[in-house]
Amino acid sequence: MCKPAIYPGTFDPVTFGHIDLIRRSLEIFPEIIVAVAENAHKKPLFTLEERVKLLKKAVEGMEGVSVESFKGLVVDFAHKKHLKVLIRGVRMFSDFEYELQMALTNRKLAADIETVYLMPQEGYSYLSSRLLKEAASLGADLTSFVPDFVAKPLIEKLKR
C-alpha cells in the first residue's frame, strides 16, 4: 500500500506543470503534501505566504492534497511529518543531473527517505518558473502556462 508523499519546491510561481504533477502524483500516492520551501537563496519573487496562498488556490478541490511551508532541509520536514517519499519532477536531462545530485545528498542525510521522479506531460516539459518570469517581464501572454489567479499578481510584481 502506498503511503503519503511530499512534493517540495519553491513554486515561484506555481505553473500548470506543477499542478499536473500534483494531479498525477495522486494516482500513485493517497496523500500529497505540497511543501513550499522558504529558499531565500533563490530570491523568490513571491513571498512564502503568497506562494502558499497561490498553491492552496491551485489545488482547491483536489482531495488528499495539503499545502504547507517549511524552512530548512526537506528531509527534516519529511521526518517531522513521518513521511518517507519525496516527489520530484524532471523535465529535461539537465534537470536530472541536478535532481540526482540532490537525491544522493538527501539519501546521505536521511537514508530512510526515497526520491521518486515523475516526468511531466509533454506539453509542460519545457516550463520553468524562471523562464515564465522572464517571459512575463517582456509582456508575454501567460494564459497557457499559469492560472489567471497567478498571472495577474505575477505581472503586477514585475511592473514594480
Side-chain angles (χ1 to χ4, degrees):
M1 179 151 147
C2 283
K3 296 182 179 187
I6 294 176
Y7 176 32
T10 308
F11 304 103
D12 185 46
V14 60
T15 69
F16 285 137
H18 294 128
I19 296 166
D20 172 62
L21 205 72
I22 294 165
R23 280 196 181 110
R24 291 187 310 106
S25 295
L26 281 172
E27 307 229 353
I28 303 167
F29 302 97
E31 293 176 46
I32 306 294
I33 296 175
V34 180
V36 184
E38 179 183 47
N39 208 342
H41 292 79
K42 284 191 173 182
K43 296 182 175 126
L45 183 64
F46 288 95
T47 67
L48 182 61
E49 294 76 20
E50 289 169 328
R51 288 180 279 137
V52 167
K53 183 179 176 182
L54 290 171
L55 265 158
K56 284 183 176 182
K57 186 162 176 115
V59 300
E60 269 179 7
M62 286 190 209
E63 195 171 319
V65 178
S66 60
V67 178
E68 297 183 36
S69 64
F70 75 98
K71 296 177 183 178
L73 296 171
V74 70
V75 292
D76 291 342
F77 183 73
H79 281 149
K80 180 180 167 189
K81 295 294 182 178
H82 308 288
L83 299 176
K84 304 290 184 191
V85 177
L86 301 178
I87 299 166
R88 298 295 297 169
V90 178
R91 296 169 301 211
M92 303 287 173
F93 186 71
S94 57
D95 284 351
F96 183 74
E97 290 183 66
Y98 171 76
E99 291 295 339
L100 179 62
Q101 192 175 29
M102 189 174 1
L104 293 174
T105 302
N106 284 339
R107 183 181 290 160
K108 191 74 168 173
L109 296 170
D112 59 323
I113 297 176
E114 289 294 336
T115 301
V116 173
Y117 298 108
L118 293 178
M119 308 305 159
Q121 288 187 12
E122 296 80 14
Y124 302 124
S125 63
Y126 59 90
L127 264 181
S128 79
S129 296
R130 182 185 57 79
L131 288 175
L132 288 183
K133 287 185 276 195
E134 187 176 331
S137 73
L138 298 170
D141 177 8
L142 302 179
T143 55
S144 60
F145 306 119
V146 298
D148 286 341
F149 62 84
V150 173
K152 288 175 185 162
L154 175 58
I155 291 165
E156 286 302 313
K157 280 192 176 278
L158 291 169
K159 283 182 182 176
R160 295 180 193 161

